[in-house]
Structures are given as structure tokens and as C-alpha cells.
């Protein structure tokens, strides 16, 4: 298959992911310094609890805005950091938002209760009923508390993705309520014209990033490319490849190793979005995804009619040749995790060793393509079969298959238990962390 992508950039000393992470940290640090300066300039109340409560509220507001940026799916950050890591940071930032806003509510309430004859609970009720904007803040905090609860692991595992996602959308209502509370009751917000302008810019920038990354850009790309299913090809009893075509696909900035959130616009599944990696490097004419029937959504792909309209969000992910730090590489795939590995092999330059781990030879999806591609590129291909225990990719076995593994980049994709085991083996062998590249696609969808 002939690709139309620009040649991959050579390995660099400074990784793109490091640059992107440094940019995010710097963005947060600069804004934290600005918030603190505006807070100090606004002056202090006589009650220390109220002072601390206001500072906690400002910290919560800033973290909430930063949290929006993390899930805005801005292409520059996503291609360098990866949606899985951005989503993980978003989750932990969300817990930071909950704790800072809880401190804000408790400290403000107890601070005002100190100077009144009311107990804290009645003081909170009184503030909500008499101070403009406080009731909105209480409602916003309640919404965030519900969203935070369903985002905890024990609850998340029990909810369908669509249910969890629908509940999560209420976060945007909480953001609007929190901002209007800040306008109505924020001492620092109204302390000066620069402070007011700053907070409008922060909230406008965060919400604008979400609007552009998650609404405008997907709508624009799908309107331009008009994707449709061109072929559905069974690869085995439970694996199928779907070929998608459209207009001007050579202008779609997709790279081997990335994935899309796919919506196939049939009457029974138009509302479902599933993350599937590209199983072949984009060639300007088609996009191909290959999926195993692991659930109702992926199982129904086999029955997609040719000509079905497709709405695809993406491309997403940092699992690309952009992460290279060494001229040579090792690609390790487990099960259907071979799909982005097979695509990456097309895109990578330099000598590569491919290790494909399956339980039985019959489970080796796309093995024929992989073998042909390996021969064409002069790559080594090892098919490793057998039960999960004993571990077939233990340190000694990896060192036997790839004696110079510590001097190569390692790209890894497969089931989470297999990935965890391989990452442990790589650490034991002394492979530098910066040379190990993987993406946990389950976090994307």
C-alpha cells in the first residue's frame, strides 16, 4: 500500500511529548501566578477562614478551566501527549476541583458563621437565599459531586459508556453556573478591570477550546471528507476490517498508529461512538479499521451495509512515529492490538523487530499482511504463541529475541494485562523509559 504522508521526522533529543507537557505545566503555572496576584491585590477580609475560602474558590475555578483544556482534544496537544494521558490528567484534576471547591464552601460558610448567630448549615442556607449567585454555586457543586461520584472507578465500571458520558455532560452546566457565581459574588473578579478581563479570558479560552476541538473541528472535517463505508472484509470468525472512503482524504492529518472515534450512521447505532485504531497507514484513498467482536458495537460491524455514512472524530493519539528517539525499533503486539502496530510498521524507518503475541496461531489477525510487510521492509517478525502463563515475553525471552533492545524504541499495544507485564519486563531489562511508547485506548472511549 502506498502512503501519501510526509516522511516521518528523524529521532530528536527533545521529545515532542516533553515539549507539550512543559507547555501545559507552564500554562498552569503562569495562570496560578496571575490568580494569586489578583487575589493579593483585592485585599483581605477580616476573617481568616473567609480569606482562605476565597483563595480555595479561585484555585478551584482555575483548575476547572484547566480541566476543560485537557479534554478539548486540541490536535497539537493530543498528537504529542495522547488522549489517554490527557484524559487521565483530566480525571485527577477533577478530583482536585472537588476538593478545592469543597474547601471553598466549608471555609466560607464557617467564616460567615463565626460572625453571626447561625450554625454552619443554617448559615449556608442563609447565604444561598440572600447573597446573589451563591445558590448557583451550591447547585454547581452538587452537580460536580454527582459527576465525580460516577467517575470513581467503582461506579464507572458499572455504567455503560453512553450513560456515564451523558451524566458527564452536566459538567458544562456546572461550569456555566460557577462562572455566573463568580461574576455575581466574586470579590477578586470585580476588584479591578484587569482582573475581570483576565477571568473572562480564562473562561472564554477554556470553553472556546472545547467548542473548537470537540464540535467545530469534527463537524468541519466530516463535512469536508464525507466519509462512507466502501467495504467490509471478515478477517476471521470474530474479526472484521471496515474500509472507509471519502473526499480529499490526502488532506486529513491522520498518521499510522492513531485512532478515530467512529460513528456509523445506521438507525440502530448512530448514537454509539467506538474507538478503533487505523490498521493500515492512511494512503489518501481509504481509512481502514480492524476490530474484534468484543461487544455488541464491534460485533455489529460485520453487518454494516456498504455506503453507510460515517461520522469520525479524530484522528487522535500520540502512538505514532513522532515519538521516535532511536533509529531502530521494536514493535510488540498482543491480540487485536496488532492493528496500530501493523500500521506503524508501514510508517517507521530503520530496522524493526516485530513481536506478535497470541494464544494460538489462528488468533494471529492480519498475520499474512504483517509478514509480507516485514519482508518488504527488511524487518524481523516473531510470532509468539502459548498460554498466558508462563509469561512468553519475560525479560529473558525479550532479550533473546532482541539482544539490542535497550538501544531501540519500543512500541507496545495489546490487552492491559499483557502490556503491564511487558512494561515490567522492559524495566527489568533496563530499557530507558523515554524509549517505551504505548497508549491505553480504553481511556479514549
Amino acid at each position: 500500500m502506498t502512503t501519501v504522508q510526509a516522511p516521518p521526522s528523524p529521532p530528536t533529543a527533545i521529545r515532542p511529548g516533553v515539549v507539550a507537557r512543559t507547555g501545559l505545566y507552564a500554562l498552569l503555572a503562569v495562570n496560578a501566578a496571575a490568580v494569586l496576584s489578583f487575589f493579593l491585590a483585592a485585599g483581605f477580609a477580616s476573617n481568616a477562614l473567609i480569606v482562605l475560602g476565597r483563595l480555595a474558590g479561585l484555585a478551584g475555578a482555575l483548575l476547572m478551566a484547566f480541566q476543560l483544556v485537557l479534554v478539548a482534544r486540541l490536535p497539537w496537544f493530543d498528537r504529542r501527549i495522547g488522549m489517554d494521558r490527557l484524559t487521565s490528567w483530566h480525571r485527577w484534576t477533577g478530583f482536585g476541583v472537588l476538593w478545592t471547591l469543597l474547601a471553598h464552601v466549608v471555609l466560607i460558610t464557617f467564616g460567615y458563621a463565626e460572625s453571626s448567630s447561625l450554625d454552619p448549615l443554617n448559615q449556608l442556607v442563609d447565604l444561598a437565599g440572600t447573597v446573589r449567585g451563591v445558590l448557583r454555586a451550591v447547585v454547581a457543586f452538587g452537580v460536580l459531586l454527582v459527576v465525580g461520584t460516577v467517575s470513581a472507578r467503582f461506579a464507572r465500571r458499572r455504567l455503560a459508556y453512553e450513560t456515564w458520558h451523558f451524566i458527564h455532560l452536566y459538567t458544562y452546566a456546572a461550569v456555566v453556573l460557577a462562572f455566573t457565581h463568580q461574576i455575581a459574588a466574586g470579590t477578586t473578579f470585580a476588584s479591578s478591570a484587569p482582573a475581570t478581563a483576565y477571568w473572562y479570558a480564562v473562561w472564554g479560552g477554556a470553553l472556546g477550546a472545547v467548542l473548537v476541538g470537540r464540535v467545530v473541528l469534527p463537524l468541519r472535517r466530516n463535512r469536508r471528507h464525507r466519509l462512507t463505508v466502501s467495504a467490509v472484509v471478515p478477517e476471521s470468525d470474530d474479526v472484521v476490517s471496515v474500509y472507509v472512503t471519502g473526499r480529499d482524504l490526502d488532506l486529513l492529518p491522520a498518521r499510522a498508529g492513531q485512532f478515530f472515534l467512529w460513528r456509523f450512521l445506521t438507525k440502530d447505532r448512530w448514537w454509539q461512538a467506538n474507538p478503533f485504531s487505523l490498521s493500515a497507514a492512511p494512503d489518501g484513498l481509504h481509512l481502514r479499521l480492524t476490530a474484534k467482536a468484543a461487544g455488541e458495537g464491534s460485533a455489529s460491524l460485520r453487518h454494516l451495509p456498504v455506503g453507510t455514512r460515517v461520522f469520525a472524530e479524530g484522528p487522535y493519539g500520540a502512538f505514532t512515529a513522532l515519538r521516535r528517539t532511536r533509529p531502530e525499533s521494536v514493535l510488540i503486539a498482543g491480540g487485536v492490538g496488532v492493528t496500530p502496530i501493523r500500521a506503524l510498521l508501514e510508517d517507521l524507518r530503520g530496522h524493526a523487530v516485530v513481536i506478535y503475541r497470541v494464544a494460538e496461531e489462528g488468533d494471529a489477525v492480519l498475520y499474512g499482511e504483517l509478514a509480507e510487510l516485514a519482508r518488504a521492509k527488511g524487518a524481523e517478525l516473531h510470532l509468539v504463541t502459548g498460554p498466558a502463563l508462563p509469561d512468553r515475553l519475560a525479560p529473558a525471552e525479550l532479550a533473546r529475541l532482541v539482544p539490542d533492545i535497550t538501544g531501540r524504541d519500543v512500541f507496545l499495544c495489546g490487552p492491559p494485562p499483557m502490556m503491564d507485564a511487558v512494561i515490567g519486563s522492559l524495566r527489568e531489562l533496563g530499557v530507558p523509559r523515554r524509549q517505551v511508547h504505548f497508549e491505553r485506548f480504553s481511556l479514549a472511549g
Side-chain angles (χ1 to χ4, degrees):
M1 186 176 287
T2 304
T3 65
V4 295
Q5 296 170 303
S9 55
T12 56
I14 302 178
R15 292 178 293 167
V18 172
V19 174
R21 287 195 298 271
T22 302
L24 279 176
Y25 298 154
L27 178 67
L28 183 59
V30 167
N31 280 277
V35 168
L36 183 59
S37 67
F38 287 128
F39 171 74
L40 295 174
F44 298 147
S46 57
N47 187 301
L49 292 178
I50 294 176
V51 172
L52 292 175
R54 287 174 179 172
L55 183 58
L58 293 173
L62 181 59
L63 286 176
M64 194 183 298
F66 186 66
Q67 191 183 28
L68 292 176
V69 173
L70 291 175
V71 290
R73 298 178 185 170
L74 299 175
W76 192 87
F77 284 114
D78 183 81
R79 289 173 192 164
R80 288 158 177 81
I81 298 176
M83 187 191 289
D84 62 333
R85 288 170 176 81
L86 290 171
T87 303
S88 179
W89 296 349
H90 165 82
R91 179 173 178 269
W92 288 109
T93 303
F95 290 123
V97 169
L98 282 177
W99 284 111
T100 52
L101 294 186
L102 176 62
H104 172 65
V105 172
V106 171
L107 291 170
I108 289 290
T109 300
F110 275 78
Y112 277 101
E114 273 192 2
S115 57
S116 72
S117 58
L118 298 174
D119 62 83
L121 180 59
N122 284 316
Q123 181 64 67
L124 179 60
V125 172
D126 181 70
L127 289 172
T130 60
V131 179
R132 190 166 64 97
V134 172
L135 181 59
R136 300 172 210 167
V138 173
V139 174
F141 181 71
V143 171
L144 291 175
L145 196 59
V146 171
V147 172
T149 300
V150 300
S151 296
R153 291 188 187 277
F154 75 89
R156 178 70 183 89
R157 291 170 180 167
R158 291 166 171 78
L159 291 175
Y161 168 72
E162 288 77 17
T163 303
W164 172 84
H165 185 259
F166 179 77
I167 295 173
H168 215 71
L169 290 176
Y170 281 98
T171 302
Y172 297 109
V175 168
V176 173
L177 288 171
F179 180 48
T180 57
H181 160 71
Q182 194 174 15
I183 293 174
T187 303
T188 303
F189 182 91
S191 64
S192 66
T196 302
Y198 167 79
W199 280 108
Y200 270 113
V202 165
W203 287 111
L207 290 170
V210 172
L211 182 64
V212 170
R214 305 194 67 161
V215 179
V216 174
L217 194 55
L219 287 175
R220 179 184 175 189
R221 284 179 175 168
N222 281 274
R223 181 179 179 183
R224 178 177 193 175
H225 299 296
R226 297 188 179 276
L227 303 175
T228 59
V229 174
S230 59
V232 179
V233 179
E235 304 288 356
S236 69
D237 291 341
D238 60 352
V239 177
V240 64
S241 289
V242 178
Y243 290 78
V244 175
T245 190
R247 302 189 310 184
D248 302 324
L249 290 188
D250 57 316
L251 301 179
L252 183 65
R255 297 193 62 144
Q258 291 188 300
F259 67 96
F260 288 79
L261 297 178
W262 303 90
R263 292 179 188 270
F264 297 96
L265 305 183
T266 60
K267 63 179 181 179
D268 57 341
R269 59 172 300 147
W270 61 268
W271 50 276
Q272 290 181 321
N274 296 105
F276 295 120
S277 298
L278 296 174
S279 58
D283 64 357
L285 300 175
H286 296 89
L287 301 173
R288 187 181 77 173
L289 63 102
T290 302
K292 184 175 182 178
E296 184 179 346
S298 53
S300 65
L301 293 177
R302 185 179 295 267
H303 308 293
L304 278 175
V306 171
T308 298
R309 289 292 304 274
V310 182
F311 188 93
E313 298 175 50
Y316 297 129
F319 193 67
T320 69
L322 190 63
R323 284 191 172 184
R324 291 193 311 152
T325 66
R326 292 290 185 270
E328 298 180 331
S329 56
V330 181
L331 288 79
I332 304 176
V336 79
V338 73
T339 55
I341 294 294
R342 183 252 179 258
L344 263 177
L345 183 58
E346 281 190 84
D347 202 29
L348 287 171
R349 302 295 184 264
H351 184 263
V353 178
V354 183
I355 302 173
Y356 190 4
R357 176 74 170 94
V358 290
E360 301 176 355
E361 287 190 18
D363 298 329
V365 181
L366 303 180
Y367 183 73
E369 288 187 22
L370 200 61
E372 182 179 346
L373 187 57
R375 283 193 297 270
K377 295 182 70 70
E380 296 178 35
L381 175 60
H382 302 280
L383 182 63
V384 180
T385 62
L389 295 174
D391 188 0
R392 305 287 177 169
L393 295 179
E397 182 65 9
L398 284 178
R400 184 187 70 82
L401 294 173
V402 195
D404 62 343
I405 194 169
T406 57
R408 294 172 178 260
D409 279 312
V410 180
F411 291 86
L412 170 65
C413 187
M418 172 256 187
M419 290 177 63
D420 292 339
V422 172
I423 290 170
S425 295
L426 295 172
R427 288 175 180 165
E428 191 170 333
L429 288 170
V431 178
R433 192 171 181 177
R434 66 192 299 270
Q435 293 169 215
V436 180
H437 317 293
F438 59 90
E439 200 158 21
R440 298 187 187 274
F441 296 98
S442 62
L443 290 174

